[in-house]
Amino acid sequence: EAREVIATAREALQRLSGNSEDIAEITVVRRSFHTLKGSSRMVGLRDFGEAAWACEQVYNARLAENPRLDPSLADFSHDALEQMAGWVE
């Protein structure tokens, strides 16, 4: 499941590269981190869940303050997903 969720988030980030203010796509990325958090906690992967929770919190703040994917958030998101994908493997 984690592989699919990470792929979904990556696809949303790709679409956001053409429209950085697409709230629906930003929400897809946030939900992906939310799902990774919840699923990992259910199976006892506490550290993975905490990492996903921290990423989700970044997106919660962004959606509340300035819903757009700027270059620093895009870089952070790609890096976080890369790290999480490595963790999954």
Side-chain angles (χ1 to χ4, degrees), residues 9-77:
R10 286 176 168 164
E11 291 164 4
L13 288 171
Q14 181 64 35
R15 289 187 293 271
L16 280 161
S17 68
N19 181 6
S20 65
E21 296 180 3
D22 186 333
I23 293 173
E25 294 297 344
I26 294 169
T27 302
V28 167
V29 179
R30 189 204 68 80
R31 283 187 192 143
S32 296
F33 286 122
H34 176 80
T35 300
L36 292 169
K37 172 195 73 178
S39 296
S40 63
R41 287 178 174 176
M42 281 193 293
V43 296
L45 298 173
R46 184 179 181 276
D47 292 342
F48 190 95
E50 290 300 307
W53 175 80
C55 295
E56 179 188 9
Q57 293 305 305
V58 169
Y59 272 84
N60 287 341
R62 181 52 61 95
L63 282 165
E65 296 168 7
N66 182 15
R68 64 183 292 272
L69 186 79
D70 60 35
S72 63
L73 182 56
D75 290 345
F76 166 81
S77 301

